[in-house]
Amino acid sequence: MWTIPNQITLFRILLIPVFIIVFYLPVEWNYFGAFVVFWFAAISDALDGYLARKLNQSSAFGAFIDPVADKLMVAAALIMIAEDYQIWYIAVAAMIMISREIFISALREFMSSRGKRDIVAVSTLGKYKTAAQMLGIMGLIWQPSANDALLNFLYIPHQLINGAAYFFYAIATILTVWTMVIYFKAAWPELKD
């Protein structure tokens, strides 16, 4: 149970309150700091999966806790973004993404109970959705401005990061709905029974 990948996953769960606290700190770097914590969590997600395969340390506990950690971090970020921006299309997209995660988790649990979880296993399109979602969320967390020191040092216009964030957030929303429909259609024969 206490394999290196599982420890990384549990550490990611512990990062959630750190992420929230940093986001709401009354300092001018709070958004960038929260971005760094979220980015670190996203990297640790890729790392624990890689290490589980590389070190042959896959476990039932890891298979359970890894998606829970991901969904908790993403849900926290989406709620905070929706509250911070207070724009209807950001909030509606956040609600769609959170609802999809709950729906798909329940669908996978149902299909597992029927011995057919592979029918709704993570697809390539689902991985693209996750990548777009992470990029969009990170950009919306950061919210760089014209006087962002890092971007000015790198000669990157802040509008580029902000525009990319909205673009990936929109793509993630579209892929969220698309993959939900695909998984639902795949499971429909079992659901009809």
Side-chain angles (χ1 to χ4, degrees):
M1 180 172 155
W2 298 111
T3 62
I4 293 170
N6 289 350
Q7 290 178 41
I8 293 170
T9 301
L10 292 171
F11 178 69
R12 190 160 67 253
I13 292 173
L14 294 175
L15 281 179
I16 296 169
V18 174
F19 167 67
I20 294 169
I21 290 167
V22 171
F23 187 86
Y24 288 110
L25 280 176
V27 294
E28 68 177 48
W29 52 264
N30 64 321
Y31 292 139
F32 182 74
F35 157 79
V36 169
V37 174
F38 190 89
W39 175 84
F40 191 69
I43 294 300
S44 76
D45 180 30
L47 180 64
D48 64 14
Y50 170 77
L51 288 176
R53 290 184 297 277
K54 184 79 172 169
L55 302 174
N56 197 24
Q57 292 185 344
S58 298
S59 66
F61 180 72
F64 158 72
I65 201 69
D66 184 62
V68 170
D70 300 341
K71 286 167 183 42
L72 289 173
M73 181 62 96
V74 167
L78 288 169
I79 290 166
M80 290 161 47
I81 288 167
E83 185 272 332
D84 194 54
Y85 279 78
Q86 296 188 7
I87 302 171
W88 71 267
Y89 52 86
I90 297 285
V92 168
M95 185 272 306
I96 289 169
M97 288 186 223
I98 293 170
S99 299
R100 182 258 192 207
E101 295 306 328
I102 295 168
F103 177 82
I104 296 302
S105 294
L107 187 64
R108 286 188 176 133
E109 184 178 334
F110 169 77
M111 294 300 282
S112 289
S113 73
R114 311 276 289 207
K116 299 189 177 179
R117 191 181 191 291
D118 289 348
I119 293 173
V120 288
V122 176
S123 66
T124 302
L125 198 58
K127 292 178 182 177
Y128 291 148
K129 183 274 301 177
T130 300
Q133 187 179 54
M134 293 300 170
L135 291 170
I137 289 172
M138 284 190 282
L140 292 176
I141 290 167
W142 185 356
Q143 304 177 35
S145 63
N147 40 343
D148 189 285
L150 177 62
L151 292 182
N152 288 336
F153 176 76
L154 297 173
Y155 300 105
I156 300 172
H158 71 280
Q159 297 93 336
L160 180 66
I161 301 296
N162 290 326
Y166 281 101
F167 172 77
F168 284 115
Y169 195 72
I171 294 298
T173 306
I174 292 165
L175 291 177
T176 291
V177 175
W178 190 358
T179 55
M180 184 171 63
V181 169
I182 289 170
Y183 292 139
F184 184 73
K185 283 175 68 175
W188 180 244
E190 290 298 317
L191 292 168
K192 279 196 306 186
D193 291 344

